[in-house]
Amino acid sequence: MFAYKDRSETGYLPIESYGLIGNMRTVALSSTDGAIDYYCYPYFDSPSVFARILDKNKGGHFSITPQHYTSIKQQYLPNSNILATKFLSDHGVSQITDFMNHPEEIPGHPYELLPWMVRKVEAIRGTIEIDVECFPAFNYAQNKHTTTVHTIDNSSSEDHVGPWRVEFESQDLTMDLRFTYDCGENECPYWKFDVEEREGLLGPGVTTKITLSEGQSIVFIFREVPQKASLDPPLSNFLLSKLFNGTLSYWRNWIGHSNYNGRWRETVLRSALALKLMVFAPTGAIVAAPTFSLPEHFGGTRNWDYRYTWIRDSAFTIYALLRLGFSEEADAYMGYLERILSNMNPDGSLQIMYTIHGCKELEEIELHHLEGYRESRPVRIGNGAADHLQLDIYGELLDAIYLYNKNGKPISYDMWQYVTRLVNYVCTAWDQPDMGIWEVRSAKQNFIYSKVMCWVALDRAIRFTEKRSNFPCRDKMKWLEIRDNIYTEIMEKGWNSELQHFSQSYESPNTLDSSILVMPLRS
């Protein structure tokens, strides 16, 4: 649950003022004042449609905001990734419920859907006046678009479909905004979308004002305009109710498979639900984060794009999900990983990250037309660190494969062959300086954490030969010798006997490094 923060001072909300909704293909950030300020479509690494979080004037947004409120509370519906934002005031109480439909098939209907963003606003108590604005900014606010308000046949009034549809058409993508309503026994107030131009945006948006009385609601649907009739089922409140119930059931059924019963169970399961949103369902890839170019600190330049699969981060995620009992995600990721390993470099090495489709190209580009979150420039997409040498990834990866073999399914012979190539590469590279877990873009160093994880890579491979004695291993004696050499060197060069701590690197003997705390967990 997040408390209300105001964006009036800077034009931006604190990062913690956003909740996350998604469908294992992409996500949107929904703020505590009712705005979608971030949304890439159709995939995590696709161009943005809304990105006001990175430029308050040019980025684009979709906001539903009551005109009067004194406090806001935002929380997820129990055991789900459906987000509810409640606005409270002396005049009344309203709520916005945000979700993306899942699963793809509508229960009981012969239709599939392109991903929808569904936003329901309802008056819980009193009479509520609401401002609605939808201003997309396609392709990272680089593409122009047109905006057209269509009057649609309202002959299906029993389905309570709104009489207007707003279409936003850009060069590569056409989205529309539709709605249904539920006014109970009362007649709904008349209102209409107004097309409006705003400085900084490359196309018009729409605005409107709505008044809802207690018990009344409106559901907005923002979606890609489908090209096939099979992807465009007739809109109705009944359909949206099935989507909501199906999505809620999906999340609750999924989290119900957890075997975790320890302390802080509610917090652990909430973290698991967040991790699940990082999974890219079509390939099994896991993104490090679903956003790009949010700064490490205000005004800083370390603003990277994290919408890719880091070997390190995904290994940690698989470890966590396996420990919680979610083996299907591990199965899917291992399939993704095998595709990557089948195309590893000739020397047996890997990139530190790949796209969610398994590609190697992640060209880093700066978007100079966007000011960045709280003027933190530059705004970057892509990631030039893809070709960094970060030797720790092999230990994290081999540890994850080892745990999958132990707690999931036995790995195949083909996977073992890939493991052998990875380990033999570690044998040749472990003593090199690298960029380390902190991804320094300056001089390489002999980071202790990287050395430790090289030791882990060899150790887990050796354990494989003991657990799966049918796997051939002609290099086992070499692995044993190098594993022990790494251990000895860390103790001799990495331990600061004067200060009584392990150093960050051989080159920085007096520098502490929190990543070293992993040592007892991996030994």
Side-chain angles (χ1 to χ4, degrees), residues 290-319:
T291 54
F292 67 94
S293 210
L294 293 178
E296 292 188 7
H297 60 87
F298 301 151
T301 60
R302 295 175 63 82
N303 316 319
W304 314 119
D305 189 345
Y306 292 105
R307 300 173 297 165
Y308 306 111
T309 295
W310 265 254
I311 296 296
R312 176 192 306 114
D313 299 63
S314 53
F316 287 153
T317 302
I318 288 302
Y319 174 85

CSV table of all heavy atoms in Angstrom, one decimal, residues 290-319:
chain,number,residue,atom,x,y,z
A,290,PRO,N,11.3,-4.0,-15.9
A,290,PRO,CA,10.4,-3.7,-17.1
A,290,PRO,C,10.5,-2.3,-17.6
A,290,PRO,O,9.8,-1.9,-18.4
A,290,PRO,CB,9.0,-4.0,-16.6
A,290,PRO,CG,9.1,-3.7,-15.1
A,290,PRO,CD,10.5,-4.0,-14.7
A,291,THR,N,11.5,-1.5,-17.1
A,291,THR,CA,11.6,-0.1,-17.4
A,291,THR,C,12.9,0.2,-18.0
A,291,THR,O,13.9,-0.5,-17.9
A,291,THR,CB,11.3,0.8,-16.1
A,291,THR,OG1,12.2,0.3,-15.1
A,291,THR,CG2,9.9,0.6,-15.6
A,292,PHE,N,13.0,1.4,-18.6
A,292,PHE,CA,14.3,1.9,-19.1
A,292,PHE,C,14.5,3.3,-18.6
A,292,PHE,O,13.6,4.1,-18.4
A,292,PHE,CB,14.3,1.9,-20.6
A,292,PHE,CG,13.3,2.8,-21.3
A,292,PHE,CD1,13.7,4.1,-21.7
A,292,PHE,CD2,12.0,2.5,-21.5
A,292,PHE,CE1,12.9,5.0,-22.3
A,292,PHE,CE2,11.1,3.3,-22.2
A,292,PHE,CZ,11.5,4.6,-22.6
A,293,SER,N,15.8,3.6,-18.4
A,293,SER,CA,16.4,4.9,-18.2
A,293,SER,C,15.9,5.6,-16.9
A,293,SER,O,16.0,6.8,-16.8
A,293,SER,CB,16.1,5.8,-19.4
A,293,SER,OG,17.1,6.8,-19.5
A,294,LEU,N,15.4,4.9,-15.9
A,294,LEU,CA,15.1,5.5,-14.6
A,294,LEU,C,16.5,5.6,-13.9
A,294,LEU,O,17.3,4.7,-13.9
A,294,LEU,CB,14.2,4.6,-13.8
A,294,LEU,CG,12.8,4.6,-14.3
A,294,LEU,CD1,11.9,3.7,-13.5
A,294,LEU,CD2,12.1,6.0,-14.4
A,295,PRO,N,16.8,6.8,-13.3
A,295,PRO,CA,18.2,7.0,-12.9
A,295,PRO,C,18.5,6.4,-11.5
A,295,PRO,O,17.6,6.1,-10.7
A,295,PRO,CB,18.2,8.6,-12.7
A,295,PRO,CG,16.8,8.9,-12.4
A,295,PRO,CD,15.9,7.9,-13.2
A,296,GLU,N,19.8,6.1,-11.3
A,296,GLU,CA,20.2,5.7,-10.0
A,296,GLU,C,20.1,6.7,-9.0
A,296,GLU,O,19.9,6.5,-7.8
A,296,GLU,CB,21.7,5.1,-10.1
A,296,GLU,CG,21.8,3.9,-10.9
A,296,GLU,CD,23.2,3.3,-10.8
A,296,GLU,OE1,24.0,3.8,-10.0
A,296,GLU,OE2,23.5,2.4,-11.6
A,297,HIS,N,20.3,8.0,-9.4
A,297,HIS,CA,20.0,9.1,-8.5
A,297,HIS,C,19.6,10.3,-9.3
A,297,HIS,O,19.9,10.4,-10.5
A,297,HIS,CB,21.2,9.5,-7.6
A,297,HIS,CG,22.5,9.8,-8.4
A,297,HIS,ND1,22.7,11.1,-8.8
A,297,HIS,CD2,23.5,9.1,-8.8
A,297,HIS,CE1,23.9,11.1,-9.4
A,297,HIS,NE2,24.4,9.9,-9.5
A,298,PHE,N,18.8,11.3,-8.7
A,298,PHE,CA,18.3,12.4,-9.5
A,298,PHE,C,19.4,13.2,-10.1
A,298,PHE,O,20.4,13.5,-9.5
A,298,PHE,CB,17.5,13.3,-8.6
A,298,PHE,CG,16.3,12.6,-7.9
A,298,PHE,CD1,15.8,13.0,-6.7
A,298,PHE,CD2,15.7,11.5,-8.5
A,298,PHE,CE1,14.8,12.4,-6.1
A,298,PHE,CE2,14.6,10.9,-7.9
A,298,PHE,CZ,14.2,11.3,-6.7
A,299,GLY,N,19.2,13.5,-11.4
A,299,GLY,CA,20.2,14.3,-12.1
A,299,GLY,C,21.4,13.5,-12.6
A,299,GLY,O,22.3,14.1,-13.2
A,300,GLY,N,21.5,12.3,-12.3
A,300,GLY,CA,22.7,11.5,-12.6
A,300,GLY,C,22.6,11.0,-14.1
A,300,GLY,O,21.6,11.1,-14.8
A,301,THR,N,23.7,10.4,-14.5
A,301,THR,CA,23.8,9.9,-15.9
A,301,THR,C,23.7,8.4,-16.0
A,301,THR,O,23.7,7.9,-17.1
A,301,THR,CB,25.1,10.4,-16.6
A,301,THR,OG1,26.2,9.9,-15.8
A,301,THR,CG2,25.1,11.9,-16.6
A,302,ARG,N,23.7,7.7,-14.9
A,302,ARG,CA,23.6,6.2,-14.9
A,302,ARG,C,22.2,5.8,-15.1
A,302,ARG,O,21.5,5.3,-14.2
A,302,ARG,CB,24.3,5.6,-13.7
A,302,ARG,CG,25.8,5.9,-13.6
A,302,ARG,CD,26.3,5.5,-12.3
A,302,ARG,NE,26.3,4.0,-12.1
A,302,ARG,CZ,27.1,3.1,-12.6
A,302,ARG,NH1,28.2,3.6,-13.3
A,302,ARG,NH2,27.0,1.9,-12.4
A,303,ASN,N,21.7,6.0,-16.3
A,303,ASN,CA,20.3,5.8,-16.6
A,303,ASN,C,20.2,4.7,-17.7
A,303,ASN,O,20.2,5.0,-18.9
A,303,ASN,CB,19.6,7.0,-17.1
A,303,ASN,CG,20.0,8.3,-16.3
A,303,ASN,OD1,20.1,8.2,-15.1
A,303,ASN,ND2,20.3,9.4,-17.0
A,304,TRP,N,20.1,3.4,-17.3
A,304,TRP,CA,20.2,2.3,-18.2
A,304,TRP,C,18.9,1.7,-18.5
A,304,TRP,O,17.9,1.9,-17.9
A,304,TRP,CB,21.2,1.3,-17.6
A,304,TRP,CG,22.4,1.8,-17.0
A,304,TRP,CD1,22.8,1.7,-15.7
A,304,TRP,CD2,23.4,2.6,-17.7
A,304,TRP,NE1,24.0,2.3,-15.5
A,304,TRP,CE2,24.4,2.9,-16.7
A,304,TRP,CE3,23.6,3.0,-19.0
A,304,TRP,CZ2,25.6,3.6,-17.0
A,304,TRP,CZ3,24.7,3.8,-19.3
A,304,TRP,CH2,25.7,4.0,-18.3
A,305,ASP,N,18.9,0.9,-19.6
A,305,ASP,CA,17.7,0.2,-20.1
A,305,ASP,C,17.8,-1.3,-19.5
A,305,ASP,O,18.8,-2.0,-19.9
A,305,ASP,CB,17.7,0.2,-21.6
A,305,ASP,CG,16.4,-0.4,-22.2
A,305,ASP,OD1,15.6,-1.0,-21.4
A,305,ASP,OD2,16.2,-0.1,-23.4
A,306,TYR,N,16.9,-1.7,-18.7
A,306,TYR,CA,16.9,-3.0,-18.1
A,306,TYR,C,15.9,-4.0,-18.6
A,306,TYR,O,15.6,-5.0,-18.0
A,306,TYR,CB,16.7,-2.8,-16.6
A,306,TYR,CG,17.9,-2.1,-15.9
A,306,TYR,CD1,17.8,-0.8,-15.5
A,306,TYR,CD2,19.1,-2.8,-15.7
A,306,TYR,CE1,18.8,-0.2,-14.9
A,306,TYR,CE2,20.2,-2.2,-15.1
A,306,TYR,CZ,20.0,-0.9,-14.7
A,306,TYR,OH,21.1,-0.2,-14.1
A,307,ARG,N,15.3,-3.7,-19.8
A,307,ARG,CA,14.3,-4.5,-20.3
A,307,ARG,C,14.8,-5.8,-21.1
A,307,ARG,O,14.2,-6.2,-22.1
A,307,ARG,CB,13.4,-3.7,-21.3
A,307,ARG,CG,12.7,-2.5,-20.6
A,307,ARG,CD,12.0,-1.6,-21.6
A,307,ARG,NE,12.9,-1.1,-22.5
A,307,ARG,CZ,12.6,-0.5,-23.7
A,307,ARG,NH1,11.3,-0.4,-24.0
A,307,ARG,NH2,13.5,0.0,-24.5
A,308,TYR,N,15.9,-6.3,-20.6
A,308,TYR,CA,16.5,-7.4,-21.2
A,308,TYR,C,16.8,-8.5,-20.2
A,308,TYR,O,16.6,-8.3,-19.0
A,308,TYR,CB,17.8,-7.0,-21.9
A,308,TYR,CG,17.6,-5.8,-22.9
A,308,TYR,CD1,18.1,-4.6,-22.6
A,308,TYR,CD2,16.9,-6.0,-24.0
A,308,TYR,CE1,17.8,-3.5,-23.4
A,308,TYR,CE2,16.6,-5.0,-24.9
A,308,TYR,CZ,17.1,-3.7,-24.6
A,308,TYR,OH,16.9,-2.7,-25.4
A,309,THR,N,17.3,-9.6,-20.7
A,309,THR,CA,17.6,-10.8,-19.8
A,309,THR,C,19.0,-10.8,-19.5
A,309,THR,O,19.9,-11.2,-20.3
A,309,THR,CB,17.1,-12.1,-20.5
A,309,THR,OG1,15.7,-12.1,-20.7
A,309,THR,CG2,17.5,-13.3,-19.6
A,310,TRP,N,19.4,-10.4,-18.3
A,310,TRP,CA,20.7,-10.6,-17.7
A,310,TRP,C,20.9,-12.0,-17.3
A,310,TRP,O,20.0,-12.6,-16.6
A,310,TRP,CB,20.9,-9.7,-16.5
A,310,TRP,CG,21.6,-8.3,-16.8
A,310,TRP,CD1,22.9,-8.0,-16.6
A,310,TRP,CD2,21.0,-7.2,-17.4
A,310,TRP,NE1,23.1,-6.7,-17.0
A,310,TRP,CE2,21.9,-6.2,-17.5
A,310,TRP,CE3,19.7,-6.9,-17.9
A,310,TRP,CZ2,21.7,-4.9,-18.0
A,310,TRP,CZ3,19.4,-5.7,-18.5
A,310,TRP,CH2,20.4,-4.7,-18.5
A,311,ILE,N,22.0,-12.7,-17.6
A,311,ILE,CA,22.2,-14.0,-17.1
A,311,ILE,C,22.2,-14.0,-15.6
A,311,ILE,O,21.6,-14.9,-15.0
A,311,ILE,CB,23.6,-14.5,-17.7
A,311,ILE,CG1,23.6,-14.6,-19.2
A,311,ILE,CG2,23.9,-15.9,-17.0
A,311,ILE,CD1,22.6,-15.6,-19.8
A,312,ARG,N,22.8,-13.1,-15.0
A,312,ARG,CA,22.9,-13.0,-13.5
A,312,ARG,C,21.5,-12.8,-12.9
A,312,ARG,O,21.1,-13.6,-12.0
A,312,ARG,CB,23.8,-11.8,-13.1
A,312,ARG,CG,23.9,-11.6,-11.6
A,312,ARG,CD,24.5,-10.3,-11.3
A,312,ARG,NE,25.8,-10.1,-12.0
A,312,ARG,CZ,26.1,-9.2,-12.9
A,312,ARG,NH1,25.1,-8.4,-13.3
A,312,ARG,NH2,27.3,-9.1,-13.5
A,313,ASP,N,20.8,-11.8,-13.3
A,313,ASP,CA,19.5,-11.5,-12.7
A,313,ASP,C,18.5,-12.7,-12.9
A,313,ASP,O,17.7,-13.0,-12.0
A,313,ASP,CB,18.9,-10.3,-13.3
A,313,ASP,CG,19.8,-9.1,-13.0
A,313,ASP,OD1,20.9,-9.0,-13.5
A,313,ASP,OD2,19.4,-8.1,-12.3
A,314,SER,N,18.4,-13.2,-14.1
A,314,SER,CA,17.5,-14.3,-14.4
A,314,SER,C,17.8,-15.6,-13.6
A,314,SER,O,17.0,-16.3,-13.1
A,314,SER,CB,17.4,-14.6,-15.8
A,314,SER,OG,18.7,-14.9,-16.4
A,315,ALA,N,19.2,-15.8,-13.4
A,315,ALA,CA,19.6,-16.9,-12.5
A,315,ALA,C,19.1,-16.8,-11.1
A,315,ALA,O,18.6,-17.7,-10.5
A,315,ALA,CB,21.1,-17.1,-12.6
A,316,PHE,N,19.2,-15.5,-10.6
A,316,PHE,CA,18.7,-15.3,-9.2
A,316,PHE,C,17.2,-15.5,-9.1
A,316,PHE,O,16.7,-16.0,-8.2
A,316,PHE,CB,19.0,-13.8,-8.8
A,316,PHE,CG,20.5,-13.6,-8.5
A,316,PHE,CD1,21.1,-12.4,-8.7
A,316,PHE,CD2,21.3,-14.6,-8.0
A,316,PHE,CE1,22.4,-12.1,-8.4
A,316,PHE,CE2,22.7,-14.4,-7.8
A,316,PHE,CZ,23.2,-13.2,-7.9
A,317,THR,N,16.5,-15.0,-10.2
A,317,THR,CA,15.0,-15.1,-10.2
A,317,THR,C,14.6,-16.6,-10.2
A,317,THR,O,13.7,-17.0,-9.5
A,317,THR,CB,14.4,-14.4,-11.4
A,317,THR,OG1,14.9,-13.0,-11.3
A,317,THR,CG2,12.9,-14.5,-11.4
A,318,ILE,N,15.2,-17.4,-11.1
A,318,ILE,CA,14.9,-18.8,-11.2
A,318,ILE,C,15.2,-19.5,-9.8
A,318,ILE,O,14.4,-20.4,-9.4
A,318,ILE,CB,15.7,-19.5,-12.3
A,318,ILE,CG1,15.2,-19.0,-13.6
A,318,ILE,CG2,15.7,-21.0,-12.2
A,318,ILE,CD1,13.7,-19.3,-13.9
A,319,TYR,N,16.3,-19.1,-9.2
A,319,TYR,CA,16.6,-19.7,-7.9
A,319,TYR,C,15.5,-19.4,-6.9
A,319,TYR,O,15.0,-20.3,-6.2
A,319,TYR,CB,17.9,-19.1,-7.4
A,319,TYR,CG,18.3,-19.4,-5.9
A,319,TYR,CD1,19.0,-20.6,-5.7
A,319,TYR,CD2,17.9,-18.6,-4.9
A,319,TYR,CE1,19.3,-21.0,-4.4
A,319,TYR,CE2,18.3,-19.0,-3.6
A,319,TYR,CZ,19.0,-20.1,-3.3
A,319,TYR,OH,19.3,-20.5,-2.1
